Amino acid sequence: MMTYYILIGAVALISWVVSSRLKSKFKKYSKVHLRNGMSGAEIAQKMLDDHGIRDVKVISTAGMLTDHYNPKNKTVNLSEGVYSQRNASAAAVAAHEVGHAVQHAQAYEWLTMRSKLVPVVSVTSGMSTWVVFGGLMLGAAAGVGIGYYIAIAGLVMMGFATIFSFITLPVEYDASNRALAWLKQKNMVSQEEYAGAEDALKWAARTYLVAALGALASLVYWAFQVFGGRD
């Protein structure tokens, strides 16, 4: 178990470093005011209009970096620091979230796969580690008995969460690419503003990369615990 705690600690530390760096970048680029004077909400609405998307609403949501696109009720949810702000960070986040709306409208395959996994992962992700651990306690490492099958079930649950994390990567990177391409093509930002938006989204994407690698490392560790003790 000590190895597991070290692994989790290392992933948590890297995640904290990346998250701190992300917050620092957004704070930095929030001081780069847009020459066009548009707010995050206005940026989002214009990008929706330019893509012919009329059934998605742009709304404000509480919190910091709580921005997201909700495909169920078709809303682009922008945090307080994005919705009404008029800077490079707000433009980047707003355009990125609309990027997800565009993916949804165009039935982007990776987003479709991710959406299908959401119900499964929401149920299994929280209990997978405990299921594997319970199976090991019941003798799963010996490769026999009910404990083994319980541990396998836990690994399958963990596998879904890992797959979900890796499917999230192309979804997030594509949304950022769509956002940056639109900002540039429509001449929505200056060179300095574009550089800030690009850098901010790069660090945002890294948070998902760290999460995916952490999920994979955890899956490999527990799989070794289940299968490693077998002859």
Side-chain angles (χ1 to χ4, degrees):
M1 284 298 291
M2 182 58 67
T3 303
Y4 179 69
Y5 289 132
I6 293 174
L7 174 65
I8 293 300
V11 171
L13 177 60
I14 295 172
S15 179
W16 177 81
V17 170
V18 173
S19 179
S20 296
R21 189 66 172 163
L22 171 62
K23 290 178 181 178
S24 174
K25 291 290 184 179
F26 272 84
K27 184 177 180 180
K28 175 183 177 181
Y29 298 125
S30 66
K31 297 176 182 177
V32 179
H33 300 289
L34 295 182
R35 62 176 181 179
N36 61 22
M38 295 177 69
S39 67
E42 291 168 339
I43 290 283
Q45 189 59 60
K46 178 164 176 52
M47 186 171 172
L48 287 170
D49 293 341
D50 286 351
H51 284 85
I53 300 175
R54 311 296 181 190
D55 58 348
V56 173
K57 292 183 178 180
V58 180
I59 63 176
S60 178
T61 186
M64 177 183 179
L65 297 179
T66 52
D67 312 88
H68 63 282
Y69 169 67
N70 188 332
K72 291 184 178 180
N73 60 11
K74 292 189 174 183
T75 56
V76 171
N77 299 262
L78 301 180
S79 63
E80 297 164 347
V82 172
Y83 187 87
S84 60
Q85 296 303 306
R86 305 170 190 275
N87 53 60
S89 289
V93 174
H96 172 88
E97 297 309 331
V98 174
H100 289 308
V102 176
Q103 290 173 337
H104 190 198
Q106 297 178 356
Y108 179 59
E109 58 182 0
W110 289 103
L111 180 64
T112 301
M113 284 190 285
R114 184 179 183 276
S115 297
K116 289 180 179 178
L117 279 175
V118 168
V120 177
V121 174
S122 63
V123 173
T124 62
S125 62
M127 65 176 74
S128 59
T129 301
W130 294 107
V131 173
V132 174
F133 186 71
L136 288 170
M137 293 294 289
L138 292 173
V144 295
I146 190 171
Y148 176 71
Y149 294 105
I150 289 175
I152 292 297
L155 287 177
V156 171
M157 293 178 185
M158 201 174 290
F160 278 122
T162 303
I163 291 171
F164 181 84
S165 293
F166 276 91
I167 287 178
T168 295
L169 292 179
V171 173
E172 294 300 327
Y173 278 100
D174 179 76
S176 290
N177 289 337
R178 290 174 189 264
L180 292 170
W182 177 80
L183 288 171
K184 192 172 187 177
Q185 290 170 4
K186 297 297 182 177
N187 197 32
M188 297 297 295
V189 291
S190 67
Q191 269 193 322
E192 181 189 7
E193 294 161 359
Y194 180 87
E198 184 178 37
D199 193 32
L201 290 179
K202 177 181 68 177
W203 280 97
R206 286 174 179 172
T207 63
Y208 293 99
L209 178 59
V210 171
L213 293 177
L216 178 60
S218 184
L219 175 62
V220 170
Y221 171 83
W222 286 112
F224 181 78
Q225 297 306 306
V226 173
F227 300 118
R230 300 177 62 187
D231 294 330

